Amino acid sequence: QVQLVESGGGLVQPGGSLRLSCAASGSGFSIYAMIWYRQAPGKQRGLVAAITSDGTTNYAPSVKGRFTISRDNAENTVYLQMNSLKPEDTAVYFCNVIVVTSLTKSNYWGQGTQVTVSS
């Protein structure tokens, strides 16, 4: 069983920065991809950023140039560095991890962490 623990959310002023983390725990798996999604009130969940096992990244156009996704393979942790935050970045941010074992591929969701950008 793979479990994800998210942290780093909070309240920040426009133009500020936050760093989210998502740590995967368990055994017998390797990570294929780690993805950040977000969902704002009244809106559908959308992809923010993703990173694959070979280091390839992609970003939503609205965050490109402001957000950076990275990983720490030794700790099975993915980070989302968020700079130049805007009020429209306010949302619950969810970590999604795609894992592979010797037999299966599966994905797991973190519990979500609230990011609020406001004066």
Side-chain angles (χ1 to χ4, degrees), residues 34-82:
M34 305 187 83
I35 307 164
W36 288 99
Y37 292 84
R38 68 185 181 187
Q39 187 166 21
K43 295 185 178 180
Q44 294 183 337
R45 185 176 300 177
L47 184 145
V48 178
I51 186 167
T52 58
S53 59
D54 66 355
T56 301
T57 60
N58 74 306
Y59 298 90
S62 60
V63 307
K64 189 174 295 184
R66 299 188 296 120
F67 291 10
T68 302
I69 188 169
S70 62
R71 70 187 192 279
D72 182 338
N73 291 334
E75 299 295 331
N76 285 331
T77 300
V78 63
Y79 302 96
L80 185 67
Q81 179 66 47
M82 305 185 294

